[in-house]
Amino acid sequence: MEYKLVKLDRLSGKSASLYSLFVQKEQKTLFDKFIEENKNSFKSELKDIVKRLNTIGNKIGAREHFFKQNEGDLGDGVCAFYDIPNSKLRLYCIRYGSLIVILGNGGYKPKNIRAFQEDEKLTEENFLMRKISAIITERIENQEIVYSEDYMDFEGNLEFNI
Amino acid sequence: MSKIENYNSSNIDELFQEISSDELEKTEKRMLLAVRIDEGIKAMGWKKIDFAKALNKRPSEISKWLSGTHNFNSDTLFDIEKTLGIDLINVDTKPKQQTSVYHVFVSSKTNQDKENSCFNYIEGKPLISYNLQAFK
């Protein structure tokens, strides 16, 4: 599957850049899919997520305490955006400091499971983010991807084939 | 080097159409509160676990406080203020002192008698008085 990193115009601002992965075959981003898959059952949770992401992009930045850490491999930046109390809508992200966040997909984490690995959909989305993170890390190391001068953006080889 | 492409999502736009400016403001304030608390913890040289111990709470509860999603009650905010030595709620009951500024314009000297003068006489001798117009 081919993906391309894109910047979400509506959510990005002076405090942080919010990205997602554009799925070439489906002509939409992973975050679009997250919204479409959950808007019938979890509309208010989605609105809350979007409000908070908007605040992150435009006012406050992607501070660490807004994300549930260690959702991926050690040090890979894969995390989950905190859901509102009593909601189990899980959105997987990759956080690069407080300036860049890549929003993935996720889903509903049922209350009867303790870890995402018990749910096929969540496992799939989580592992996709781990793969993306690993590729980006490798490309940063060999300078195929670099930070922009203000560190607000990535530049370089932003397409992925997974 | 290729630059990142901007992407406009109609899904995100549709959600924003259902969000009022008041809701956005409320969310922002809630998150700013979390930021204040996080910075207060760091200013104490503490980690979350130290703060949790100081308040006799579980670390997971502190994580929820800092998530930007928590709806605090006032008692909890007072406890946090006291523990961290920061202000989160301003409940100063003293009315603000109002200062009025007057611009005094002196127009001319007058020779007013004692009754009309706004100035006192000293030892029976009139002071020079002036017409005063005061503009706020």
Side-chain angles (χ1 to χ4, degrees):
Chain A
M1 187 93 74
E2 288 181 6
Y3 301 91
K4 180 173 64 177
L5 210 52
V6 293
K7 187 169 178 174
L8 300 177
D9 203 41
R10 186 64 178 81
L11 297 175
S12 300
K14 62 181 186 327
S15 299
S17 297
L18 299 187
Y19 292 175
S20 191
L21 287 148
F22 185 80
V23 186
Q24 298 283 19
K25 192 177 169 184
E26 299 177 50
Q27 291 294 294
K28 59 180 80 165
T29 65
L30 292 180
F31 190 59
D32 280 324
K33 292 177 68 172
F34 176 72
I35 295 172
E36 288 172 6
E37 287 165 11
N38 295 290
K39 65 182 178 185
N40 288 336
S41 304
F42 303 104
K43 188 80 162 289
S44 68
E45 284 90 341
L46 284 174
K47 282 163 66 178
D48 178 77
I49 284 169
V50 160
K51 281 187 280 180
R52 288 188 287 127
L53 289 172
N54 178 70
T55 302
I56 282 173
N58 289 285
K59 303 280 183 179
I60 296 178
R63 295 176 68 108
E64 190 181 286
H65 56 89
F66 293 143
F67 299 85
K68 208 174 273 190
Q69 304 297 320
N70 306 319
E71 291 285 318
D73 294 320
L74 188 63
D76 70 355
V78 175
C79 51
F81 194 46
Y82 262 112
D83 44 353
I84 56 174
N86 302 322
S87 162
K88 293 290 182 183
L89 202 59
R90 182 58 52 91
L91 171 64
Y92 289 113
C93 314
I94 311 170
R95 183 179 159 271
Y96 294 91
S98 62
L99 296 181
I100 298 176
V101 180
I102 300 174
L103 307 178
N105 198 337
Y108 177 66
K109 185 180 169 190
K111 287 179 184 171
N112 62 341
I113 68 167
R114 291 198 65 184
F116 71 84
Q117 289 93 336
E118 296 172 62
D119 182 275
E120 198 180 320
K121 164 75 168 157
L122 291 179
T123 302
E124 183 188 330
E125 302 301 344
N126 178 282
F127 275 81
L128 174 59
M129 298 309 274
R130 291 185 195 209
K131 285 179 191 169
I132 297 289
S133 173
I135 295 171
I136 291 174
T137 298
E138 190 186 334
R139 289 185 186 178
I140 289 175
E141 279 170 8
N142 61 26
Q143 302 199 331
E144 279 184 73
I145 289 179
V146 296
Y147 284 92
S148 60
E149 271 187 29
D150 58 3
Y151 294 93
M152 293 284 291
D153 286 300
F154 284 140
E155 293 174 356
N157 183 0
L158 304 174
E159 294 183 4
F160 308 85
N161 197 344
I162 299 172
Chain B
M1 279 275 175
S2 303
K3 294 204 186 292
I4 190 93
E5 205 176 294
N6 278 343
Y7 175 80
N8 219 2
S9 164
S10 58
N11 283 305
I12 296 174
D13 288 343
E14 274 172 32
L15 284 173
F16 266 104
Q17 279 168 15
E18 298 181 33
I19 296 171
S20 67
S21 55
D22 282 351
E23 284 179 276
L24 284 172
E25 194 181 338
K26 197 185 280 188
T27 297
E28 187 184 317
K29 284 190 173 170
R30 212 174 264 196
M31 291 176 82
L32 281 168
L33 191 54
V35 170
R36 288 284 300 278
I37 296 169
D38 182 61
E39 288 181 347
I41 296 170
K42 288 180 172 128
M44 295 287 279
W46 284 353
K47 293 187 177 164
K48 269 191 291 194
I49 194 161
D50 303 309
F51 181 52
K53 275 184 192 163
L55 280 169
N56 201 24
K57 299 284 182 188
R58 291 190 305 275
S60 59
E61 196 161 352
I62 306 303
S63 295
K64 280 183 194 163
W65 288 0
L66 299 180
S67 69
T69 64
H70 192 69
N71 194 2
F72 290 93
N73 65 39
S74 51
D75 280 353
T76 304
L77 289 173
F78 292 146
D79 288 341
I80 294 170
E81 282 186 323
K82 195 172 171 188
T83 304
L84 297 178
I86 58 175
D87 282 331
L88 296 171
I89 309 171
N90 185 354
V91 290
D92 193 348
T93 55
K94 291 179 192 169
K96 288 180 188 172
Q97 283 189 336
Q98 195 166 347
T99 303
S100 296
V101 176
Y102 289 86
H103 298 279
V104 177
F105 173 68
V106 179
S107 58
S108 61
K109 284 187 188 179
T110 65
N111 290 318
Q112 284 183 322
D113 59 25
K114 189 175 177 178
E115 283 77 25
N116 291 332
S117 172
C118 58
F119 293 94
N120 290 326
Y121 276 64
I122 299 177
E123 297 178 348
K125 292 178 188 175
L127 293 174
I128 297 172
S129 63
Y130 296 86
N131 280 327
L132 297 176
Q133 288 176 292
F135 299 93
K136 200 170 178 183

